[in-house]
Amino acid sequence: GLLGEVHPAVKDAFKLKKRRPVYLEIDAVAIEADGAPWSFVEPPRVPPVERSLAFVLPTGPDGVGVGAVDAVLRTSGGEALAELVVTDRFEPDADHAVWTWALRWRNDDGDVTAEALNEATERAATAVLDALGARGVSRRA
């Protein structure tokens, strides 16, 4: 199903001042279908904190795949890395592609400092360059 706040333009069209209407759509067939019991994982009290890293990867037959960088980032991030997502890609020239990753670091208790997050992100970047720099991978500032 879908759930979300109605777009402000729709709210204004119906002159709904000081109200925040929501839209809810539920697929009745899905609800009535037999299947596994529902489960729910409660989100953390404090959301993860995100930092971004971008790397220039050589393309072509001797290029470095995104999976190689992804693997190094996951390994170097360890348990503190909640999620790793590629968020952007562009090609500045025919021989290179720039990929950007969002690293979402756990901060379950809300006590992780910006300095600690920055250090963890820099360690991850250094790990990528140590592992793949000789193959032409570089960091994009």
Side-chain angles (χ1 to χ4, degrees), residues 48-55 66 69-71 73-74 76-77 80-89 98-106 117 120-121 124-125 128 139:
V49 180
E50 187 173 301
R51 296 291 189 267
S52 294
L53 286 175
F55 294 97
V66 173
V69 176
D70 206 75
L73 289 172
R74 286 183 193 284
S76 65
L81 186 60
E83 188 177 12
L84 182 62
V85 179
V86 172
T87 59
D88 190 32
R89 175 186 187 274
V98 179
W99 294 81
T100 303
W101 282 261
L103 291 82
R104 296 188 180 121
W105 299 99
R106 283 187 174 76
L117 291 166
T121 302
V128 169
R139 184 170 177 186

Side-chain angles (χ1 to χ4, degrees), residues 1-4 22-28 31:
L2 300 169
L3 173 67
V22 295
Y23 175 81
L24 172 65
E25 180 180 309
I26 298 175
D27 184 349
I31 289 176

